[in-house]
Amino acid sequence: MGLRTVFTELVGIRHPIVSAPMGGAAGGELAAAVSNGGGLGLVGASRADAAWVADELAIVAARAEKPWGVGFLSWGAEVSAVERALEFEPAALMLGFGDPRPFLPAVRASGAVLLLQVTDMAEVEDALAVGADVLVVQGSESGGHGARQGRSTLTFVPAVLDRAGAVPVLAAGGIADGRGLAAVLALGAAGAMLGTRFQATPEATVNAAVHAAVAAATGADTERSSVLDIIRGAQWPRRWTARTLHHPALDRWRDRETELAQDDSAKRDYSDAVRRGEYPPEPIWAGEAIDNIDTVVPARELVETLAAEAEAALRRASGADELS
Ligand SMILES: Cc1cc2nc3c(=O)[nH]c(=O)nc-3n(C[C@H](O)[C@H](O)[C@H](O)COP(=O)(O)O)c2cc1C
């Protein structure tokens, strides 16, 4: 049957599956493996400098035999790093979390497909106004950063589809298996972006403890909060919180963010605990669909499995299995 959509045709890929540009987890190796499996692999360049970008994109450019891309954080990335990335001729460039305008002249001049990640309706309007080629519509189930007052994927995606007209929409947040991919295709999305699921691959640049924690936890073990951003001194704007696995600092400081922001000794205690190995070096960013992840699977194989599962789910939902 195949899962051709306007997005697969636009970017020139086989499956409507995109791996999220996860800062700290998605380097060139993961992006290349996803792309070689027929999805679109995105390097998570986050706010990295041009030197990091050049190193990771050299890896993906050498290993990927098919289209690949890269993503940056609009609130913190340097225009020079984005320009360096475009020299590697990615098929797609994703921007999210902040004003994309400073980067647009370079992206437009390059011919890369522009993906803009949106977390609320105001961001949807902005993304359409600046001419996004694709909207990545992120629901609040998602792992990592997202809207403080987010909407769930199941309701947010159709609301955006009704507004987006001909602009293709990818759904992100809470999708970790083929059933989730099938569900968002049924809503009318042109594909799905998965982050947490691709974190549990050997190609993701996370350590074994993260793999084990992601495989063991359930959605109920995740929480959306600014506490861990504040306590580790991250510069993330507060309008985006992050969904992470449980952490002792969340129990200690939940609903007391303003107080925490002024408490330098709490921040020192946190970094001391990280140094002593009592806390993980970074929070473990993970989404609610983590229930559906219990194994670490090579990324290329994962893409193929997700596509096959989604096709089967859509056949099942249409009753085609019983009829054939
Ligand atoms: C470990 C991790 C790191 C992430 N880092 C970024 C990032 O640097 N930039 C970004 O735009 N989104 C980032 N995200 C969010 C993803 O783009 C995406 O919206 C999210 O993973 C989708 O939800 P899911 O995790 O349920 O699949 C990250 C997500 C995770 C899980």
Side-chain angles (χ1 to χ4, degrees):
M1 171 170 113
L3 298 170
R4 282 179 67 210
T5 70
V6 283
F7 179 72
T8 60
E9 299 310 291
L10 178 67
V11 186
I13 57 174
R14 185 167 153 76
H15 304 304
I17 297 167
V18 181
S19 61
M22 297 176 283
E29 201 188 335
L30 176 58
V34 170
S35 288
N36 288 339
L40 181 74
L42 299 185
V43 173
S46 178
R47 336 161 37 203
D49 61 18
W52 185 94
V53 166
D55 286 348
E56 291 302 324
L57 297 201
I59 295 171
V60 64
R63 295 193 192 169
E65 292 144 19
K66 299 185 180 154
W68 56 272
V70 56
F72 289 87
L73 297 176
S74 297
W75 65 264
E78 300 286 339
V79 172
S80 58
V82 172
E83 287 171 345
R84 187 77 182 95
L86 291 167
E87 288 171 18
F88 288 83
E89 301 186 348
L93 189 133
M94 177 167 135
L95 296 166
F97 303 110
D99 183 5
R101 285 172 186 77
F103 310 99
L104 295 186
V107 180
R108 287 311 184 199
S110 75
V113 172
L114 173 65
L115 279 58
L116 292 183
Q117 180 154 243
V118 292
T119 68
D120 63 25
M121 269 300 176
E123 291 180 5
V124 171
E125 295 303 332
D126 283 351
L128 293 172
V130 301
D133 295 320
V134 176
L135 297 180
V136 180
V137 177
Q138 191 209 47
S140 59
E141 301 95 320
S142 61
H145 287 82
R148 178 175 291 278
Q149 302 288 347
R151 298 273 309 273
S152 65
T153 303
L154 188 68
T155 59
F156 190 30
V157 167
V160 176
L161 280 163
D162 288 345
R163 177 68 192 90
V167 178
V169 162
L170 300 180
I175 303 158
D177 62 15
R179 294 173 298 180
L181 172 58
V184 298
L185 292 173
L187 289 178
M193 173 177 289
L194 288 72
T196 304
R197 175 62 268 197
F198 281 103
Q199 204 174 193
T201 61
E203 294 88 350
T205 51
V206 297
N207 63 35
V210 174
H211 279 155
V214 168
T218 72
D221 301 321
T222 71
E223 180 172 346
R224 188 167 276 291
S225 169
S226 281
V227 163
L228 292 169
D229 280 347
I230 297 169
I231 206 164
R232 69 195 172 97
Q235 289 165 29
W236 267 92
R238 296 287 168 262
R239 55 179 283 216
W240 297 293
T241 56
R243 186 176 291 283
T244 66
L245 290 188
H246 182 259
H247 190 290
L250 293 173
D251 288 339
R252 179 115 192 262
W253 292 101
R254 188 175 293 111
D255 301 327
R256 293 198 293 142
E257 282 91 339
T258 310
E259 194 187 330
L260 172 61
Q262 288 153 6
D263 190 333
D264 290 336
S265 72
K267 295 177 204 165
R268 263 196 313 277
D269 289 350
Y270 174 87
S271 50
D272 288 347
V274 169
R275 212 169 305 119
R276 289 195 299 269
E278 288 164 21
Y279 291 165
E282 298 277 5
I284 301 179
W285 290 285
E288 286 188 39
I290 201 167
D291 303 71
N292 304 327
I293 305 171
D294 15 74
T295 49
V296 175
V297 186
R300 181 177 182 148
E301 184 185 319
L302 178 57
V303 172
E304 287 158 1
T305 305
L306 289 167
E309 283 175 357
E311 285 191 36
L314 290 168
R315 267 199 314 273
R316 226 175 18 251
S318 71
D321 280 348
E322 284 85 336
L323 296 176
S324 58

